[in-house]
Amino acid sequence: IEQIINSGYGLVTLNYNDVDPDKNDFSDGIHSLFYKSSHNEPNDDQWGSISAWAWGLSRVMDYLESESIVDEKKVIVFGHSRLGKTSLWAGAIDQRFSIVISNNSGCGGAALSRRRFGEKVSDINSNWSHWFAKNFKNYSENEASLPIDQHMLIALIAPRPVYIASASKDSWADPRGEFLSGKEASKVYELYGFRGIGSENFPNVNSPIHKRIGYHLRDGKHDVTDYDWFQYIKFANKHFN
């Protein structure tokens, strides 16, 4: 926090459990306020917990727009792991977030599902099915039938800067698949006149890329470290200045 503050930034946090508790129960979160009288859970094609958490981030953004000490044109949305998935979705559907950061978001986040490496769609649907629409279960052990993949999620953020971070000892999140999402999304950034990730090759450990799409493969495990924060601050400085 001191590193963030000393760099001229503020930090606002949201406990995602206040929006929707992280369990397979849709009676105790924000979903219940949107049901029609005959429903007690979302339909098969309706939002799961990740979409609810992203909705909550947008409500925080509503408040920040009214707060005089905040420059609402320079608000970054950040998340780690399941909340890295959430930050990508929040950034895709709410263009008020100026920069989007995904830290070790893996399957359902930045990693390409059709690679079937590390955590697969069947794994995440078995363990955390409430994070997604029920229809996502149709693609368990059936990723080849997906009409989309995660590079399209990254592309929805264009032309705003987005940062994707991986860790060398976090194979479950598929670092190479996260990099490839940024690489493929770069094609959309190029339509806006930006270079995207600016690299064809998977980078070495601790060799960050700070283009319109940022990426680094940090040495270590599934975590958020001082190294990560240093890169995010450097990336924000570059694009805000």
Side-chain angles (χ1 to χ4, degrees):
I1 292 175
E2 288 182 357
Q3 184 180 1
I4 295 167
I5 299 298
N6 291 340
S7 298
Y9 295 96
L11 179 66
V12 177
T13 66
L14 169 67
N15 186 330
Y16 60 110
N17 287 292
D18 288 344
V19 180
D20 182 43
D22 191 7
K23 57 185 179 179
N24 195 9
D25 179 352
F26 290 104
S27 67
D28 52 2
I30 196 66
H31 296 87
S32 62
L33 300 181
F34 291 90
Y35 293 148
K36 296 180 179 179
S37 58
S38 60
H39 287 185
N40 56 16
E41 62 181 8
N43 292 333
D44 289 356
D45 61 349
Q46 291 182 324
W47 57 335
S49 292
I50 285 175
S51 285
W53 302 334
W55 177 92
L57 290 171
S58 286
R59 303 293 70 77
V60 173
M61 187 67 206
D62 292 344
Y63 169 73
L64 294 178
E65 287 185 314
S66 71
E67 176 52 69
S68 61
I69 66 171
V70 173
D71 184 347
E72 74 276 9
K73 301 299 183 184
K74 295 182 178 180
V75 175
I76 302 167
V77 62
F78 162 86
H80 166 65
S81 194
R82 67 197 65 185
L83 300 182
K85 309 178 204 300
T86 304
S87 67
L88 290 174
W89 186 236
I93 62 177
D94 192 336
Q95 296 184 16
R96 294 176 298 173
F97 293 114
S98 301
I99 296 177
V100 180
I101 301 175
S102 155
N103 193 90
N104 303 176
S105 60
C107 183
L112 293 173
S113 295
R114 283 181 281 190
R115 264 175 56 81
R116 289 181 51 81
F117 187 92
E119 186 176 30
K120 299 187 292 293
V121 171
S122 58
D123 295 317
I124 206 165
N125 277 329
S126 296
N127 295 315
W128 312 103
S129 61
H130 61 285
W131 288 355
F132 310 98
K134 293 177 187 175
N135 280 344
F136 195 38
K137 293 180 180 178
N138 296 334
Y139 302 99
S140 293
E141 303 298 332
N142 188 32
E143 288 90 345
S145 296
L146 278 167
I148 52 90
D149 212 335
Q150 299 310 106
H151 63 295
M152 296 180 180
L153 174 59
I154 308 300
L156 286 173
I157 299 167
R160 290 166 292 148
V162 60
Y163 202 114
I164 303 165
S166 308
S168 63
K169 297 180 177 64
D170 187 15
S171 60
W172 192 239
D174 186 15
R176 185 177 294 274
E178 293 184 314
F179 169 79
L180 290 173
S181 266
K183 178 181 174 182
E184 291 301 311
S186 296
K187 297 173 183 177
V188 174
Y189 279 78
E190 289 166 3
L191 297 176
Y192 288 95
F194 296 105
R195 196 176 173 193
I197 207 164
S199 175
E200 291 292 318
N201 300 316
F202 189 46
N204 294 326
V205 173
N206 296 343
S207 301
I209 297 168
H210 286 186
K211 303 297 183 183
R212 196 70 176 185
I213 299 177
Y215 179 84
H216 70 244
L217 177 67
R218 169 187 42 80
D219 182 36
K221 60 182 182 178
H222 189 75
D223 201 353
V224 189
T225 70
D226 289 347
Y227 179 89
D228 297 312
W229 283 116
F230 179 81
Q231 299 306 323
Y232 302 149
I233 291 167
K234 186 177 179 180
F235 186 75
N237 289 343
K238 173 180 179 178
H239 290 289
F240 286 154
N241 289 337

